[in-house]
Amino acid sequence: MPLRLERGLKRVGIGVGALLLVAFALTRGFTLILRCQPKRALSATRTLFGRVLNPLLLWFSDRFDLDQSVVYHIGRTSGREYATPLCVSPTPDGFIVPVAFGPDVDWLANLRASPVARLMHKRVTYAVEAEVIDADEAVRSAGGSPACPCWKELRVQDFVRLRPVDGVSGKTDRPDPLVESV
């Protein structure tokens, strides 16, 4: 193998390794922020997710057919529809959503103001009604144990139950076009 090619491959390997190390460090950092919830770091993380990572995730899920669950809710002051990608666990009576970023997130405030929303889960759109519940009720609804390991790891205390109000609204590849993402 020529020396020049060998050096190039070595640099690529170092770059990929460094990228993986940075991704791991960011993941662990986000986990610590969500677990301990220091106000300043949590606020910065919410902003990063709301303005950068959530729109990016919605863009990727549209183009690469990801099974990302998305809650469509109405803004409490603007009246606009927002889309928020969330971790959703199905239960016998609906869905459970952990409120990992704390109870002050915008999507939760919007659902408290107007609890009727739409949920797209596995390419099926549901009309749902939101109800804030505690960790004990979430575990009971999930069948007696946490539906997702992140519930324990992140020490999530607040959850939202999304109950279908009129069954399945219709099977679609994608719901109505998005106006904003939160």
Side-chain angles (χ1 to χ4, degrees):
M1 182 181 307
L3 183 62
R4 191 174 199 186
L5 179 61
E6 190 175 312
R7 284 183 184 158
L9 288 175
K10 187 176 182 179
R11 286 184 181 151
V12 167
I14 290 171
V16 168
L19 191 62
L20 289 173
L21 185 64
V22 167
F24 176 77
L26 283 173
T27 301
R28 295 313 306 165
F30 285 138
T31 301
L32 283 173
I33 288 170
L34 292 175
R35 184 183 293 170
C36 302
Q37 296 200 355
K39 287 199 184 282
R40 290 182 111 177
L42 192 60
S43 176
T45 304
R46 281 184 193 146
T47 301
L48 174 68
F49 270 81
R51 302 228 172 129
V52 178
L53 296 178
N54 285 354
L56 192 61
L57 186 57
L58 290 169
W59 184 86
F60 269 101
S61 67
D62 278 347
R63 277 140 190 92
F64 299 108
D65 210 22
L66 301 178
D67 274 340
Q68 176 63 52
S69 296
V70 180
V71 173
Y72 298 89
H73 50 93
I74 303 299
R76 61 195 176 282
T77 56
S78 69
R80 293 186 293 191
E81 183 177 58
Y82 291 92
T84 304
L86 295 170
C87 173
V88 174
S89 300
T91 64
D93 62 342
F95 303 90
I96 301 290
V97 180
V99 184
F101 286 98
D104 299 328
V105 290
D106 285 335
W107 66 267
L108 182 56
N110 289 342
L111 286 176
R112 282 185 172 139
S114 175
V116 176
R118 287 183 301 128
L119 168 68
M120 175 169 251
H121 180 71
K122 297 191 185 239
R123 293 187 194 88
V124 178
T125 303
Y126 299 88
V128 293
E129 189 167 0
E131 170 191 5
V132 178
I133 59 175
D134 63 4
D136 294 334
E137 180 65 25
V139 169
R140 272 194 300 280
S141 292
S145 64
C148 178
C150 74
W151 293 11
K152 276 187 164 183
E153 183 180 349
L154 301 177
R155 300 179 186 149
V156 178
Q157 295 301 311
D158 299 306
F159 293 84
V160 174
R161 177 182 308 155
L162 299 174
R163 286 195 173 140
V165 290
D166 63 357
V168 177
S169 300
K171 292 189 175 198
T172 59
D173 287 335
R174 288 285 165 237
D176 302 331
L178 308 178
V179 177
E180 297 281 336
S181 69
V182 174

